Amino acid sequence: AHYETPYIKPTENSVPIEPVSLKELRRLKPEKASSTELASYFQNELWTLGVSASYNTIKDLFTWNQVSFRTINAGKYNFVNAEWEIRYSQHAFTLGANHVISQLVNTEKNNEGFDSVRQIVLYPVRDAISVDGKNFLNLSSHITKIFVDIRLSPLFSIHSNARLFWGLKGREPIHRFHEKQNANLQHYEADFFQNQKYPYLNTERALQAKWNAGIKFEFKNTTVQFLIYDILAPQYRSKNLHSLRYQQMAFSRIQTDIFAYDFRSYSVRLTLKL
C-alpha cells in the first residue's frame, strides 16, 4: 500500500491506496463501440447540404476512478448524434456552418460496480459519464462550428473559424445541487456542500466560443501562414469563460469542476517545396 503523495507526511485523513495485482488488472474487459448511422448528402453548383443521425453504444469504456486510483470499466451507455452541415461556395468565397447534438439515451446512471481490492461499491457511469443519465459530464450537448474562406488573389487567402459550445448542461445537477431536486445524489450531499463556490463562470449555461483565424501567402515554391488561435482567450490566467477547456472527471462527488486553460497563441508556418 502507498499514499497518493508519498513525499507528504500522512495525517489522520490520508487514505492508503491498496496495491493491485496483475490478476485484478487482467479482469479489465476490452472496450467495445458500435454505431448505426443514416446520412444524406445534397450538392449543386453553389450549395452543399449534409445531414446524419446515428445511434451509438459504448461498452466497458476505460475510465479513471479516483476512489480505486486506477482504471476501471465504466459499464455501458448509449447516445444519439444528430448533425447537419451547410456550405455556400462561389468563386473565391466559401461560408459554412454545422451543428451537432449529442444526447444520452437508454443509460442507467446508477448501475453499481464493485472493487474487490478496496471492498467498495462504485458507480462508474454516474461518476465519469453522466450524473443525470441524459447529458454528458464532459461534452456539450450542442456544438456549432462556423467557418469562412476568402481567396483575395492567387497569392493571398484568409480563413477563420469558430466553435460554439452551448453550455455544459451535464454538470448542472452538481453545480446547482439541491437534495430535493436531485434525489439520486442525496448521499453526495456532504461532498457537494463543500463546493458551494461553484458553478464557475456559469459554465453549464453560458455560451463558450473558440475563435481562430489565419492568412496564407502562396508563392511558386513557398507557402507562408500566419495563424492566431483562441482569439477571445487571454494570454495569461484569468476568469475568462472562452479560455476554459473541459476536462475528464474521475470522481464527480468531489471534482465538481475541472478545467484546463486555452491561452491565445500565435503561429508562423513556412513550407518550402524542394
PDB file of all heavy atoms in Angstrom, residues 90-95 148-160 214-220 222-225 273:
ATOM      1  N   GLN A  90     -18.867  30.176 -53.824  1.00  0.00           N
ATOM      2  CA  GLN A  90     -18.967  30.880 -55.091  1.00  0.00           C
ATOM      3  C   GLN A  90     -17.630  31.562 -55.380  1.00  0.00           C
ATOM      4  O   GLN A  90     -17.163  32.384 -54.589  1.00  0.00           O
ATOM      5  CB  GLN A  90     -20.096  31.907 -55.082  1.00  0.00           C
ATOM      6  CG  GLN A  90     -20.319  32.570 -56.432  1.00  0.00           C
ATOM      7  CD  GLN A  90     -21.506  33.502 -56.423  1.00  0.00           C
ATOM      8  OE1 GLN A  90     -21.843  34.063 -55.409  1.00  0.00           O
ATOM      9  NE2 GLN A  90     -22.161  33.668 -57.581  1.00  0.00           N
ATOM     10  N   HIS A  91     -17.041  31.179 -56.496  1.00  0.00           N
ATOM     11  CA  HIS A  91     -15.748  31.734 -56.902  1.00  0.00           C
ATOM     12  C   HIS A  91     -14.723  31.545 -55.773  1.00  0.00           C
ATOM     13  O   HIS A  91     -14.408  30.427 -55.416  1.00  0.00           O
ATOM     14  CB  HIS A  91     -15.897  33.200 -57.302  1.00  0.00           C
ATOM     15  CG  HIS A  91     -16.900  33.420 -58.389  1.00  0.00           C
ATOM     16  ND1 HIS A  91     -16.791  32.811 -59.614  1.00  0.00           N
ATOM     17  CD2 HIS A  91     -18.038  34.177 -58.420  1.00  0.00           C
ATOM     18  CE1 HIS A  91     -17.814  33.171 -60.365  1.00  0.00           C
ATOM     19  NE2 HIS A  91     -18.593  33.993 -59.665  1.00  0.00           N
ATOM     20  N   ALA A  92     -14.243  32.621 -55.193  1.00  0.00           N
ATOM     21  CA  ALA A  92     -13.184  32.533 -54.181  1.00  0.00           C
ATOM     22  C   ALA A  92     -13.722  32.692 -52.765  1.00  0.00           C
ATOM     23  O   ALA A  92     -12.971  33.000 -51.838  1.00  0.00           O
ATOM     24  CB  ALA A  92     -12.126  33.599 -54.453  1.00  0.00           C
ATOM     25  N   PHE A  93     -15.031  32.449 -52.580  1.00  0.00           N
ATOM     26  CA  PHE A  93     -15.644  32.656 -51.270  1.00  0.00           C
ATOM     27  C   PHE A  93     -16.384  31.394 -50.830  1.00  0.00           C
ATOM     28  O   PHE A  93     -17.162  30.815 -51.595  1.00  0.00           O
ATOM     29  CB  PHE A  93     -16.621  33.831 -51.338  1.00  0.00           C
ATOM     30  CG  PHE A  93     -17.391  34.063 -50.069  1.00  0.00           C
ATOM     31  CD1 PHE A  93     -16.806  34.726 -49.000  1.00  0.00           C
ATOM     32  CD2 PHE A  93     -18.701  33.613 -49.943  1.00  0.00           C
ATOM     33  CE1 PHE A  93     -17.506  34.933 -47.823  1.00  0.00           C
ATOM     34  CE2 PHE A  93     -19.412  33.816 -48.774  1.00  0.00           C
ATOM     35  CZ  PHE A  93     -18.809  34.489 -47.714  1.00  0.00           C
ATOM     36  N   THR A  94     -16.143  30.978 -49.592  1.00  0.00           N
ATOM     37  CA  THR A  94     -16.851  29.837 -49.003  1.00  0.00           C
ATOM     38  C   THR A  94     -17.286  30.186 -47.593  1.00  0.00           C
ATOM     39  O   THR A  94     -16.487  30.672 -46.784  1.00  0.00           O
ATOM     40  CB  THR A  94     -15.960  28.585 -48.962  1.00  0.00           C
ATOM     41  OG1 THR A  94     -15.572  28.219 -50.285  1.00  0.00           O
ATOM     42  CG2 THR A  94     -16.704  27.415 -48.316  1.00  0.00           C
ATOM     43  N   LEU A  95     -18.552  29.933 -47.292  1.00  0.00           N
ATOM     44  CA  LEU A  95     -19.100  30.161 -45.958  1.00  0.00           C
ATOM     45  C   LEU A  95     -19.873  28.917 -45.554  1.00  0.00           C
ATOM     46  O   LEU A  95     -20.674  28.394 -46.336  1.00  0.00           O
ATOM     47  CB  LEU A  95     -20.024  31.378 -45.954  1.00  0.00           C
ATOM     48  CG  LEU A  95     -20.760  31.672 -44.639  1.00  0.00           C
ATOM     49  CD1 LEU A  95     -19.774  32.042 -43.541  1.00  0.00           C
ATOM     50  CD2 LEU A  95     -21.793  32.774 -44.846  1.00  0.00           C
ATOM     51  N   VAL A 148     -15.233  30.330 -42.633  1.00  0.00           N
ATOM     52  CA  VAL A 148     -15.248  31.139 -43.846  1.00  0.00           C
ATOM     53  C   VAL A 148     -13.863  31.118 -44.479  1.00  0.00           C
ATOM     54  O   VAL A 148     -12.846  31.161 -43.782  1.00  0.00           O
ATOM     55  CB  VAL A 148     -15.693  32.592 -43.550  1.00  0.00           C
ATOM     56  CG1 VAL A 148     -14.750  33.269 -42.567  1.00  0.00           C
ATOM     57  CG2 VAL A 148     -15.808  33.406 -44.833  1.00  0.00           C
ATOM     58  N   ASP A 149     -13.817  31.017 -45.810  1.00  0.00           N
ATOM     59  CA  ASP A 149     -12.577  31.099 -46.592  1.00  0.00           C
ATOM     60  C   ASP A 149     -12.748  32.154 -47.675  1.00  0.00           C
ATOM     61  O   ASP A 149     -13.753  32.129 -48.405  1.00  0.00           O
ATOM     62  CB  ASP A 149     -12.245  29.750 -47.246  1.00  0.00           C
ATOM     63  CG  ASP A 149     -11.748  28.738 -46.239  1.00  0.00           C
ATOM     64  OD1 ASP A 149     -10.619  28.920 -45.745  1.00  0.00           O
ATOM     65  OD2 ASP A 149     -12.478  27.770 -45.947  1.00  0.00           O
ATOM     66  N   ILE A 150     -11.791  33.058 -47.782  1.00  0.00           N
ATOM     67  CA  ILE A 150     -11.825  34.096 -48.812  1.00  0.00           C
ATOM     68  C   ILE A 150     -10.480  34.110 -49.533  1.00  0.00           C
ATOM     69  O   ILE A 150      -9.438  34.314 -48.887  1.00  0.00           O
ATOM     70  CB  ILE A 150     -12.107  35.490 -48.209  1.00  0.00           C
ATOM     71  CG1 ILE A 150     -13.397  35.465 -47.393  1.00  0.00           C
ATOM     72  CG2 ILE A 150     -12.193  36.543 -49.314  1.00  0.00           C
ATOM     73  CD1 ILE A 150     -13.660  36.754 -46.642  1.00  0.00           C
ATOM     74  N   ARG A 151     -10.493  33.896 -50.814  1.00  0.00           N
ATOM     75  CA  ARG A 151      -9.266  33.945 -51.608  1.00  0.00           C
ATOM     76  C   ARG A 151      -9.251  35.264 -52.375  1.00  0.00           C
ATOM     77  O   ARG A 151      -9.941  35.430 -53.376  1.00  0.00           O
ATOM     78  CB  ARG A 151      -9.192  32.759 -52.560  1.00  0.00           C
ATOM     79  CG  ARG A 151      -7.818  32.562 -53.182  1.00  0.00           C
ATOM     80  CD  ARG A 151      -7.753  31.249 -53.954  1.00  0.00           C
ATOM     81  NE  ARG A 151      -6.403  30.974 -54.419  1.00  0.00           N
ATOM     82  CZ  ARG A 151      -5.472  30.346 -53.712  1.00  0.00           C
ATOM     83  NH1 ARG A 151      -5.765  29.944 -52.483  1.00  0.00           N
ATOM     84  NH2 ARG A 151      -4.273  30.127 -54.196  1.00  0.00           N
ATOM     85  N   LEU A 152      -8.473  36.203 -51.879  1.00  0.00           N
ATOM     86  CA  LEU A 152      -8.459  37.541 -52.447  1.00  0.00           C
ATOM     87  C   LEU A 152      -7.655  37.633 -53.740  1.00  0.00           C
ATOM     88  O   LEU A 152      -7.884  38.522 -54.550  1.00  0.00           O
ATOM     89  CB  LEU A 152      -7.910  38.530 -51.420  1.00  0.00           C
ATOM     90  CG  LEU A 152      -8.719  38.611 -50.113  1.00  0.00           C
ATOM     91  CD1 LEU A 152      -8.022  39.535 -49.126  1.00  0.00           C
ATOM     92  CD2 LEU A 152     -10.130  39.100 -50.397  1.00  0.00           C
ATOM     93  N   SER A 153      -6.711  36.726 -53.912  1.00  0.00           N
ATOM     94  CA  SER A 153      -5.904  36.680 -55.134  1.00  0.00           C
ATOM     95  C   SER A 153      -5.275  35.290 -55.205  1.00  0.00           C
ATOM     96  O   SER A 153      -5.339  34.521 -54.229  1.00  0.00           O
ATOM     97  CB  SER A 153      -4.818  37.761 -55.111  1.00  0.00           C
ATOM     98  OG  SER A 153      -3.765  37.379 -54.244  1.00  0.00           O
ATOM     99  N   PRO A 154      -4.647  34.927 -56.322  1.00  0.00           N
ATOM    100  CA  PRO A 154      -3.975  33.624 -56.387  1.00  0.00           C
ATOM    101  C   PRO A 154      -2.876  33.465 -55.342  1.00  0.00           C
ATOM    102  O   PRO A 154      -2.471  32.340 -55.032  1.00  0.00           O
ATOM    103  CB  PRO A 154      -3.391  33.609 -57.801  1.00  0.00           C
ATOM    104  CG  PRO A 154      -4.262  34.531 -58.579  1.00  0.00           C
ATOM    105  CD  PRO A 154      -4.637  35.612 -57.626  1.00  0.00           C
ATOM    106  N   LEU A 155      -2.412  34.582 -54.793  1.00  0.00           N
ATOM    107  CA  LEU A 155      -1.311  34.529 -53.832  1.00  0.00           C
ATOM    108  C   LEU A 155      -1.755  34.662 -52.378  1.00  0.00           C
ATOM    109  O   LEU A 155      -1.001  34.325 -51.466  1.00  0.00           O
ATOM    110  CB  LEU A 155      -0.300  35.648 -54.136  1.00  0.00           C
ATOM    111  CG  LEU A 155       0.360  35.638 -55.513  1.00  0.00           C
ATOM    112  CD1 LEU A 155       1.299  36.822 -55.641  1.00  0.00           C
ATOM    113  CD2 LEU A 155       1.118  34.334 -55.729  1.00  0.00           C
ATOM    114  N   PHE A 156      -2.975  35.149 -52.116  1.00  0.00           N
ATOM    115  CA  PHE A 156      -3.354  35.556 -50.767  1.00  0.00           C
ATOM    116  C   PHE A 156      -4.759  35.074 -50.427  1.00  0.00           C
ATOM    117  O   PHE A 156      -5.707  35.277 -51.193  1.00  0.00           O
ATOM    118  CB  PHE A 156      -3.272  37.089 -50.663  1.00  0.00           C
ATOM    119  CG  PHE A 156      -3.687  37.635 -49.334  1.00  0.00           C
ATOM    120  CD1 PHE A 156      -2.996  37.304 -48.180  1.00  0.00           C
ATOM    121  CD2 PHE A 156      -4.773  38.495 -49.231  1.00  0.00           C
ATOM    122  CE1 PHE A 156      -3.380  37.813 -46.954  1.00  0.00           C
ATOM    123  CE2 PHE A 156      -5.157  39.016 -48.014  1.00  0.00           C
ATOM    124  CZ  PHE A 156      -4.452  38.670 -46.858  1.00  0.00           C
ATOM    125  N   SER A 157      -4.916  34.432 -49.260  1.00  0.00           N
ATOM    126  CA  SER A 157      -6.226  33.960 -48.817  1.00  0.00           C
ATOM    127  C   SER A 157      -6.358  34.109 -47.299  1.00  0.00           C
ATOM    128  O   SER A 157      -5.365  34.182 -46.568  1.00  0.00           O
ATOM    129  CB  SER A 157      -6.448  32.500 -49.210  1.00  0.00           C
ATOM    130  OG  SER A 157      -5.440  31.664 -48.668  1.00  0.00           O
ATOM    131  N   ILE A 158      -7.610  34.159 -46.835  1.00  0.00           N
ATOM    132  CA  ILE A 158      -7.938  34.337 -45.425  1.00  0.00           C
ATOM    133  C   ILE A 158      -8.867  33.210 -44.990  1.00  0.00           C
ATOM    134  O   ILE A 158      -9.774  32.819 -45.725  1.00  0.00           O
ATOM    135  CB  ILE A 158      -8.631  35.696 -45.180  1.00  0.00           C
ATOM    136  CG1 ILE A 158      -7.721  36.855 -45.592  1.00  0.00           C
ATOM    137  CG2 ILE A 158      -9.037  35.848 -43.724  1.00  0.00           C
ATOM    138  CD1 ILE A 158      -8.411  38.205 -45.532  1.00  0.00           C
ATOM    139  N   HIS A 159      -8.632  32.703 -43.781  1.00  0.00           N
ATOM    140  CA  HIS A 159      -9.522  31.688 -43.218  1.00  0.00           C
ATOM    141  C   HIS A 159      -9.848  32.048 -41.772  1.00  0.00           C
ATOM    142  O   HIS A 159      -9.000  32.557 -41.037  1.00  0.00           O
ATOM    143  CB  HIS A 159      -8.872  30.304 -43.243  1.00  0.00           C
ATOM    144  CG  HIS A 159      -9.658  29.277 -42.481  1.00  0.00           C
ATOM    145  ND1 HIS A 159     -10.758  28.641 -43.022  1.00  0.00           N
ATOM    146  CD2 HIS A 159      -9.536  28.799 -41.210  1.00  0.00           C
ATOM    147  CE1 HIS A 159     -11.269  27.808 -42.117  1.00  0.00           C
ATOM    148  NE2 HIS A 159     -10.540  27.888 -41.014  1.00  0.00           N
ATOM    149  N   SER A 160     -11.086  31.772 -41.357  1.00  0.00           N
ATOM    150  CA  SER A 160     -11.466  31.956 -39.962  1.00  0.00           C
ATOM    151  C   SER A 160     -12.513  30.912 -39.601  1.00  0.00           C
ATOM    152  O   SER A 160     -13.326  30.512 -40.433  1.00  0.00           O
ATOM    153  CB  SER A 160     -12.021  33.360 -39.721  1.00  0.00           C
ATOM    154  OG  SER A 160     -12.281  33.561 -38.337  1.00  0.00           O
ATOM    155  N   GLY A 214      -6.546  32.929 -39.709  1.00  0.00           N
ATOM    156  CA  GLY A 214      -5.226  32.845 -40.325  1.00  0.00           C
ATOM    157  C   GLY A 214      -5.227  33.444 -41.721  1.00  0.00           C
ATOM    158  O   GLY A 214      -6.264  33.581 -42.370  1.00  0.00           O
ATOM    159  N   ILE A 215      -4.031  33.835 -42.170  1.00  0.00           N
ATOM    160  CA  ILE A 215      -3.850  34.296 -43.546  1.00  0.00           C
ATOM    161  C   ILE A 215      -2.733  33.475 -44.176  1.00  0.00           C
ATOM    162  O   ILE A 215      -1.827  32.989 -43.486  1.00  0.00           O
ATOM    163  CB  ILE A 215      -3.511  35.813 -43.595  1.00  0.00           C
ATOM    164  CG1 ILE A 215      -2.241  36.101 -42.800  1.00  0.00           C
ATOM    165  CG2 ILE A 215      -4.676  36.638 -43.072  1.00  0.00           C
ATOM    166  CD1 ILE A 215      -1.790  37.552 -42.910  1.00  0.00           C
ATOM    167  N   LYS A 216      -2.820  33.303 -45.489  1.00  0.00           N
ATOM    168  CA  LYS A 216      -1.850  32.458 -46.184  1.00  0.00           C
ATOM    169  C   LYS A 216      -1.372  33.138 -47.461  1.00  0.00           C
ATOM    170  O   LYS A 216      -2.174  33.670 -48.234  1.00  0.00           O
ATOM    171  CB  LYS A 216      -2.476  31.099 -46.514  1.00  0.00           C
ATOM    172  CG  LYS A 216      -1.522  30.141 -47.223  1.00  0.00           C
ATOM    173  CD  LYS A 216      -2.060  28.724 -47.256  1.00  0.00           C
ATOM    174  CE  LYS A 216      -3.303  28.594 -48.107  1.00  0.00           C
ATOM    175  NZ  LYS A 216      -3.714  27.169 -48.248  1.00  0.00           N
ATOM    176  N   PHE A 217      -0.053  33.106 -47.647  1.00  0.00           N
ATOM    177  CA  PHE A 217       0.580  33.604 -48.868  1.00  0.00           C
ATOM    178  C   PHE A 217       1.180  32.410 -49.601  1.00  0.00           C
ATOM    179  O   PHE A 217       1.944  31.635 -49.029  1.00  0.00           O
ATOM    180  CB  PHE A 217       1.676  34.623 -48.542  1.00  0.00           C
ATOM    181  CG  PHE A 217       1.178  35.855 -47.842  1.00  0.00           C
ATOM    182  CD1 PHE A 217       1.134  35.909 -46.446  1.00  0.00           C
ATOM    183  CD2 PHE A 217       0.760  36.962 -48.570  1.00  0.00           C
ATOM    184  CE1 PHE A 217       0.679  37.042 -45.795  1.00  0.00           C
ATOM    185  CE2 PHE A 217       0.296  38.102 -47.919  1.00  0.00           C
ATOM    186  CZ  PHE A 217       0.259  38.145 -46.534  1.00  0.00           C
ATOM    187  N   GLU A 218       0.826  32.264 -50.876  1.00  0.00           N
ATOM    188  CA  GLU A 218       1.327  31.141 -51.676  1.00  0.00           C
ATOM    189  C   GLU A 218       2.145  31.660 -52.853  1.00  0.00           C
ATOM    190  O   GLU A 218       1.629  32.371 -53.718  1.00  0.00           O
ATOM    191  CB  GLU A 218       0.157  30.299 -52.192  1.00  0.00           C
ATOM    192  CG  GLU A 218      -0.643  29.609 -51.092  1.00  0.00           C
ATOM    193  CD  GLU A 218      -1.781  28.778 -51.647  1.00  0.00           C
ATOM    194  OE1 GLU A 218      -2.880  29.327 -51.833  1.00  0.00           O
ATOM    195  OE2 GLU A 218      -1.558  27.585 -51.916  1.00  0.00           O
ATOM    196  N   PHE A 219       3.409  31.302 -52.853  1.00  0.00           N
ATOM    197  CA  PHE A 219       4.292  31.649 -53.948  1.00  0.00           C
ATOM    198  C   PHE A 219       4.630  30.383 -54.729  1.00  0.00           C
ATOM    199  O   PHE A 219       4.080  29.311 -54.452  1.00  0.00           O
ATOM    200  CB  PHE A 219       5.550  32.330 -53.391  1.00  0.00           C
ATOM    201  CG  PHE A 219       5.247  33.520 -52.529  1.00  0.00           C
ATOM    202  CD1 PHE A 219       5.335  33.439 -51.139  1.00  0.00           C
ATOM    203  CD2 PHE A 219       4.843  34.728 -53.086  1.00  0.00           C
ATOM    204  CE1 PHE A 219       5.044  34.518 -50.334  1.00  0.00           C
ATOM    205  CE2 PHE A 219       4.549  35.835 -52.288  1.00  0.00           C
ATOM    206  CZ  PHE A 219       4.648  35.721 -50.916  1.00  0.00           C
ATOM    207  N   LYS A 220       5.526  30.474 -55.673  1.00  0.00           N
ATOM    208  CA  LYS A 220       5.804  29.353 -56.555  1.00  0.00           C
ATOM    209  C   LYS A 220       6.246  28.115 -55.784  1.00  0.00           C
ATOM    210  O   LYS A 220       5.697  27.028 -55.972  1.00  0.00           O
ATOM    211  CB  LYS A 220       6.868  29.750 -57.575  1.00  0.00           C
ATOM    212  CG  LYS A 220       7.161  28.650 -58.600  1.00  0.00           C
ATOM    213  CD  LYS A 220       8.163  29.137 -59.637  1.00  0.00           C
ATOM    214  CE  LYS A 220       8.434  28.045 -60.665  1.00  0.00           C
ATOM    215  NZ  LYS A 220       9.419  28.478 -61.678  1.00  0.00           N
ATOM    216  N   THR A 222       6.939  28.334 -52.224  1.00  0.00           N
ATOM    217  CA  THR A 222       6.914  28.679 -50.802  1.00  0.00           C
ATOM    218  C   THR A 222       5.498  29.054 -50.363  1.00  0.00           C
ATOM    219  O   THR A 222       4.782  29.754 -51.076  1.00  0.00           O
ATOM    220  CB  THR A 222       7.855  29.868 -50.511  1.00  0.00           C
ATOM    221  OG1 THR A 222       9.165  29.572 -51.000  1.00  0.00           O
ATOM    222  CG2 THR A 222       7.922  30.141 -49.010  1.00  0.00           C
ATOM    223  N   THR A 223       5.113  28.571 -49.197  1.00  0.00           N
ATOM    224  CA  THR A 223       3.842  28.952 -48.564  1.00  0.00           C
ATOM    225  C   THR A 223       4.135  29.486 -47.173  1.00  0.00           C
ATOM    226  O   THR A 223       4.853  28.858 -46.390  1.00  0.00           O
ATOM    227  CB  THR A 223       2.891  27.744 -48.466  1.00  0.00           C
ATOM    228  OG1 THR A 223       2.629  27.234 -49.774  1.00  0.00           O
ATOM    229  CG2 THR A 223       1.577  28.156 -47.814  1.00  0.00           C
ATOM    230  N   VAL A 224       3.573  30.647 -46.865  1.00  0.00           N
ATOM    231  CA  VAL A 224       3.745  31.263 -45.558  1.00  0.00           C
ATOM    232  C   VAL A 224       2.367  31.467 -44.930  1.00  0.00           C
ATOM    233  O   VAL A 224       1.475  32.043 -45.570  1.00  0.00           O
ATOM    234  CB  VAL A 224       4.490  32.608 -45.650  1.00  0.00           C
ATOM    235  CG1 VAL A 224       4.687  33.191 -44.247  1.00  0.00           C
ATOM    236  CG2 VAL A 224       5.829  32.441 -46.352  1.00  0.00           C
ATOM    237  N   GLN A 225       2.201  31.012 -43.695  1.00  0.00           N
ATOM    238  CA  GLN A 225       0.930  31.164 -42.987  1.00  0.00           C
ATOM    239  C   GLN A 225       1.150  31.866 -41.644  1.00  0.00           C
ATOM    240  O   GLN A 225       2.086  31.533 -40.918  1.00  0.00           O
ATOM    241  CB  GLN A 225       0.288  29.797 -42.733  1.00  0.00           C
ATOM    242  CG  GLN A 225      -0.033  29.016 -43.994  1.00  0.00           C
ATOM    243  CD  GLN A 225      -0.608  27.650 -43.672  1.00  0.00           C
ATOM    244  OE1 GLN A 225      -1.765  27.532 -43.259  1.00  0.00           O
ATOM    245  NE2 GLN A 225       0.201  26.621 -43.841  1.00  0.00           N
ATOM    246  N   LYS A 273       8.870  23.891 -51.031  1.00  0.00           N
ATOM    247  CA  LYS A 273       8.794  22.749 -51.958  1.00  0.00           C
ATOM    248  C   LYS A 273      10.144  22.656 -52.687  1.00  0.00           C
ATOM    249  O   LYS A 273      10.462  23.505 -53.524  1.00  0.00           O
ATOM    250  CB  LYS A 273       7.648  22.953 -52.946  1.00  0.00           C
ATOM    251  CG  LYS A 273       6.281  22.983 -52.298  1.00  0.00           C
ATOM    252  CD  LYS A 273       5.193  23.199 -53.332  1.00  0.00           C
ATOM    253  CE  LYS A 273       3.808  23.271 -52.671  1.00  0.00           C
ATOM    254  NZ  LYS A 273       2.736  23.486 -53.671  1.00  0.00           N
TER     255      LYS A 273
END
